[in-house]
Amino acid sequence: MAEPSVGAPAVVAVSERDVLLATKLHVPRPQPGFVPRPRLAAALDEGLARQLVLVCAPAGSGKTVLLADWAGRPAGGVAVAGRCR
């Protein structure tokens, strides 16, 4: 395994961290082959009446894609935020 260079400037680490942070703070665009899930989007709409909606599913099942599609709808107009562990 390669070791990081000792003389690497600290600016590079901050820059990389900023790029990573930026990827976590924007809503991704749908990829080619995106399949809309109207029933699940309707369930999220119903959840707006509650204080919290939890979306829980195995890795790779499409949680981010579903939420990005739901959040990006023009009719939504609701502020969204997320936190991943």
Side-chain angles (χ1 to χ4, degrees):
M1 190 159 55
E3 294 183 23
S5 68
V6 177
V11 175
V12 173
V14 171
S15 170
E16 290 173 3
R17 183 175 37 183
D18 290 344
V19 170
L20 178 61
L21 182 60
T23 65
K24 301 296 181 186
L25 297 177
H26 82 282
V27 177
R29 296 182 196 163
Q31 297 296 315
F34 167 72
V35 177
R37 307 284 188 206
R39 184 182 59 83
L40 295 175
L44 290 171
D45 287 335
E46 291 174 17
L48 290 174
R50 297 173 178 84
Q51 291 182 356
L52 176 71
V53 175
L54 174 65
V55 178
C56 184
S61 61
K63 299 176 297 291
T64 300
V65 174
L66 168 68
L67 292 170
D69 177 51
W70 178 77
R73 296 172 310 141
V78 177
V80 295
R83 180 174 185 270
C84 298
R85 287 184 168 201

